[in-house]
Amino acid sequence: MNASALVFVIAAVLFLFQSPAATAGTVVDEWAAVKAPAPVELKAVEVNATDTALLVLDIEERTCNVETRPRCVASAPRIGEFLAKARAAGMPVVHSLTSRGTPDTILPQALPLPGEPIVQSTVDKFFRTDLEAILEKLGVHTVIVTGTTAEGAVLHTATGAAMRGLSVIVPVDGMSAATLYAEQYTAWHMLNAPGTRAKTSLTTLGAITINTK
């Protein structure tokens, strides 16, 4: 190797070790340096009862109780109030259960009425259920996703809906998790991830207007 080539190699090596990419640690190494992004933007939304469905996910005793998820318990009355509003407007409602839940374990505020569909799956309620077929039969183009957990059923079912071309509305006061971070992450993910950001609106239950025409 001639002298000029050797100088080039040494310079390249020095540059590599001095570059930020080479010196940066993994995300775990940099964990404490991570700063939360700015709060997501919440918008008032209008939906049509005729082509929108309300999804009420996993509001049952084992996932929504004071011991393990008090924030879910606090959200249940809000979901119940919106559920009554949606039904009064003629909006279809679909409920879900965890893999070990039963209709009897659904909390009183979210109890299904006769004829309202119930699907049962893991975190993605489209997985091995009739949810997609149910929504197609109803002529649904938009889903309002409520329930628990935020980082589980809400995130994965909302993502599944977006990937199927549906518009997704997530009222942040109608989703819950065991920690605030999980709710924060879910809200950020829905508005920023490539698979969901173009299809998702974040709002609150009180900022949803239902048109009945």
Side-chain angles (χ1 to χ4, degrees):
M1 181 181 293
N2 59 41
S4 60
L6 180 61
V7 170
F8 176 80
V9 171
I10 293 172
V13 171
L14 289 174
F15 175 79
L16 177 65
F17 280 99
Q18 290 174 357
S19 67
T23 58
T26 68
V27 67
V28 175
D29 297 323
E30 303 290 337
W31 203 271
V34 176
K35 295 182 179 179
V40 296
E41 183 179 2
L42 302 181
K43 297 181 178 180
V45 295
E46 288 190 24
V47 297
N48 297 319
T50 54
D51 64 2
T52 303
L54 172 63
L55 308 185
V56 184
L57 308 180
D58 298 355
I59 304 297
E60 56 182 78
E61 294 169 0
R62 62 182 298 271
T63 57
C64 195
N65 56 71
V66 174
E67 291 74 24
T68 62
R69 206 164 294 148
R71 291 181 62 78
C72 182
V73 174
S75 74
R78 295 192 295 267
I79 293 173
E81 290 177 7
F82 188 81
L83 182 57
K85 178 180 176 181
R87 286 168 172 161
M91 180 184 294
V93 180
V94 183
H95 304 261
S96 82
L97 293 169
T98 61
S99 56
R100 291 190 287 168
T102 69
D104 293 336
T105 65
I106 296 175
L107 297 190
Q109 297 93 330
L111 280 176
L113 292 180
E116 290 180 346
I118 304 173
V119 297
Q120 187 163 23
S121 188
T122 57
V123 291
D124 179 1
K125 302 306 176 180
F126 288 96
F127 181 66
R128 294 181 178 176
T129 74
D130 295 329
L131 180 56
E132 184 172 7
I134 291 168
L135 297 177
E136 287 181 353
K137 184 177 181 180
L138 291 169
V140 167
H141 301 297
T142 300
V143 289
I144 301 170
V145 185
T146 64
T148 200
T149 61
E151 76 277 25
V154 172
L155 175 61
H156 292 282
T157 305
T159 299
M163 297 298 286
R164 288 166 173 81
L166 297 172
S167 296
V168 177
I169 297 170
V170 180
V172 295
D173 56 345
M175 70 173 187
S176 60
T179 66
L180 282 171
Y181 179 79
E183 294 180 28
Q184 180 191 55
Y185 164 74
T186 301
W188 183 91
H189 180 105
M190 292 302 301
L191 284 190
N192 289 276
T196 56
R197 63 190 177 201
K199 303 295 292 184
T200 300
S201 298
L202 295 189
T203 187
T204 61
L205 292 167
I208 300 174
T209 299
I210 303 175
N211 297 319
T212 57
K213 294 182 180 180

